[in-house]
Amino acid sequence: MKPLSELEIELRKICHANPVFTSREYVTKEELNEISSITGINFYNSLQIPFDDSLDEDSFFNPGENVGIVEHARYLPPLLHSHTFFELVYNREGTCTNYMDNKAHTLLPGDICIIAPGHEHALAAFSDDADIINLQIRTSTFENSFLGLLSDKDVLSNFFMHCLYNIKDQNCITFRTGSDAVLTDISTQLSKEFFGDSKYRGRMMDTLISLFFIHLLRVHEKDVLMVPDGNSANDENLILMLQYIQNNYANLTLAELARFFGYSERHITRIIKNSTGKNYSEITKELRMKKAAELLGNKEIPINSIMEMIGYNDLSTFYKAFKSYYGMSPAKYREQL
């Protein structure tokens, strides 16, 4: 367990003397100022970050750097805030509560919560054993290092994009990684780089954050936690369902998919639409077309064979679908390649 800092020891004393501080799901900026007056602690100076309720990239990141790191102070009042960049909350030890979208979500050891820009949240950790690191990442860097890893032929890429950029839904994704020593080691190296002054610090942090995401998606792609909110998209079989579509799209019908997972067609249609923003036919057509485009790069495979490999039985239907998607025939597409 990481020892408490002087600030954390003082905050713990204040919380024990004033239980109301720990009973609040969040505090606003004005309420934090009131707490500062009561306790005599200037949180802004003590934490040495622009601790505002709406953080933008220019005020937060060091010039020329794309990653910022905050080691979350235990017993800190949970300030409700938002920012214009991505935040990754990595709960390395203990438990904490992330308040977001009017709900309190418990993060267990190893949980990694990725929060999209522009969404208010507050983090509360009122225990000695908590060890939380917050990684702030410029939007452009996150899109390159995380979303850039996802195949554009993968159904999960639609799911992640929909989760993070659909304003109507909870705009966060939580990976349940457990005691993954690799992720812990990489996050420790990131902290050393950020709080040190080594040459090429910014470039090293960019490299480490890429390694972090590569390992996260390689090992924990199936470990996505969907928090129930009364929406049918939050289904315990969701990730398995999307992967099943990915692996069987060529000959899989909606009726077969529904039967395999034990749902009605209407219910499974709603789940897919809510989780990806697309209906089943749009997803399967996209997968077929992108696979066809990939296979057209190999001129030894006849177009008739490609048509059959992606689940079409009629050449004219395949040509029509391909042209509507790419604006040209398969033969013309191959010729341009």
Side-chain angles (χ1 to χ4, degrees):
M1 184 174 67
K2 186 174 67 173
L4 295 173
S5 67
E6 292 183 7
L7 173 62
E8 289 173 326
I9 292 173
E10 188 62 29
L11 288 171
R12 183 176 62 178
K13 291 178 182 177
I14 293 169
C15 288
H16 288 169
N18 302 273
V20 67
F21 292 168
T22 60
S23 64
R24 306 279 293 279
E25 289 183 319
Y26 66 89
V27 298
T28 64
K29 181 181 177 182
E30 292 73 21
E31 291 169 332
L32 183 66
N33 289 333
E34 291 178 11
I35 294 174
S36 294
S37 300
I38 295 171
T39 61
I41 295 178
N42 187 321
F43 292 101
Y44 302 94
N45 291 338
S46 300
L47 297 173
Q48 297 181 338
I49 60 172
F51 203 31
D52 203 346
D53 55 359
S54 182
L55 303 174
D56 62 75
E57 291 189 351
D58 291 337
S59 67
F60 189 88
F61 294 97
N62 293 325
E65 294 184 356
N66 301 309
V67 180
I69 296 177
V70 175
E71 294 181 349
H72 187 81
R74 287 162 285 190
Y75 299 99
L76 180 72
L79 174 68
L80 191 66
H81 67 285
S82 66
H83 29 66
T84 62
F85 45 84
F86 279 88
E87 179 173 359
L88 187 152
V89 178
Y90 183 14
N91 185 41
R92 298 191 291 191
E93 189 177 351
T95 59
C96 65
T97 302
N98 183 34
Y99 184 85
M100 186 173 183
D101 295 332
N102 298 316
K103 297 180 183 68
H105 309 304
T106 299
L107 298 182
L108 301 178
D111 282 2
I112 294 173
C113 182
I114 302 174
I115 302 169
H119 292 271
E120 287 191 323
H121 63 281
L123 194 65
F126 297 112
S127 66
D128 289 7
D129 62 349
D131 180 7
I132 305 162
I133 184 171
N134 296 335
L135 303 178
Q136 283 82 17
I137 308 167
R138 287 187 189 270
T139 300
S140 57
T141 300
F142 177 85
E143 290 173 345
N144 289 333
S145 58
F146 179 79
L147 297 178
L149 291 172
L150 298 170
S151 167
D152 61 1
K153 300 181 293 296
D154 196 332
V155 178
L156 285 177
S157 63
N158 288 328
F159 165 64
F160 288 133
M161 290 286 285
H162 185 75
C163 280
L164 293 172
Y165 289 113
N166 187 346
I167 296 174
K168 295 180 181 179
D169 293 339
Q170 58 172 57
N171 292 69
C172 68
I173 299 173
T174 300
F175 290 85
R176 184 143 285 174
T177 70
S179 55
D180 190 319
V182 174
L183 293 174
T184 302
D185 290 344
I186 296 174
S187 67
T188 300
Q189 289 298 317
L190 274 164
S191 292
K192 288 181 179 178
E193 289 293 332
F194 182 77
F195 294 108
D197 58 357
S198 299
K199 292 175 62 177
Y200 314 118
R201 186 180 80 162
R203 298 179 73 174
M204 177 60 81
M205 287 192 295
D206 288 348
T207 301
L208 288 170
I209 203 69
S210 293
L211 289 174
F212 188 94
F213 284 133
I214 288 170
H215 184 81
L216 182 65
L217 290 172
R218 175 184 287 175
V219 179
H220 300 289
E221 186 180 58
K222 297 179 182 179
D223 301 325
V224 177
L225 175 67
M226 299 301 296
V227 180
D229 65 353
N231 190 311
S232 60
N234 294 310
D235 185 275
E236 61 182 2
N237 292 325
L238 177 59
I239 301 301
L240 293 176
M241 189 185 303
L242 296 179
Q243 290 178 326
Y244 190 79
I245 296 172
Q246 173 74 31
N247 295 331
N248 300 281
Y249 65 87
N251 300 297
L252 182 68
T253 66
L254 180 63
E256 291 169 340
L257 178 67
R259 186 164 54 251
F260 184 86
F261 284 94
Y263 297 117
S264 67
E265 289 187 43
R266 182 178 180 181
H267 182 61
I268 208 165
T269 296
R270 189 163 57 247
I271 291 174
I272 293 170
K273 181 69 173 180
N274 288 338
S275 62
T276 66
K278 300 180 180 181
N279 61 41
Y280 181 74
S281 60
E282 289 173 326
I283 288 175
T284 53
K285 180 179 179 180
E286 182 178 88
L287 290 169
R288 286 173 171 175
M289 293 301 100
K290 290 183 176 179
K291 185 63 177 178
E294 177 187 322
L295 293 171
L296 286 168
N298 185 345
K299 294 186 178 181
E300 295 182 1
I301 305 177
I303 291 179
N304 281 357
S305 297
I306 293 175
M307 172 197 74
E308 294 173 355
M309 292 167 68
I310 63 171
Y312 283 91
N313 298 315
D314 179 71
L315 192 60
S316 63
T317 302
F318 169 56
Y319 262 71
K320 183 178 179 180
F322 190 93
K323 189 170 183 179
S324 71
Y325 194 86
Y326 284 105
M328 66 185 75
S329 69
K332 183 67 174 179
Y333 188 91
R334 169 170 277 178
E335 179 183 330
Q336 290 193 356
L337 288 176

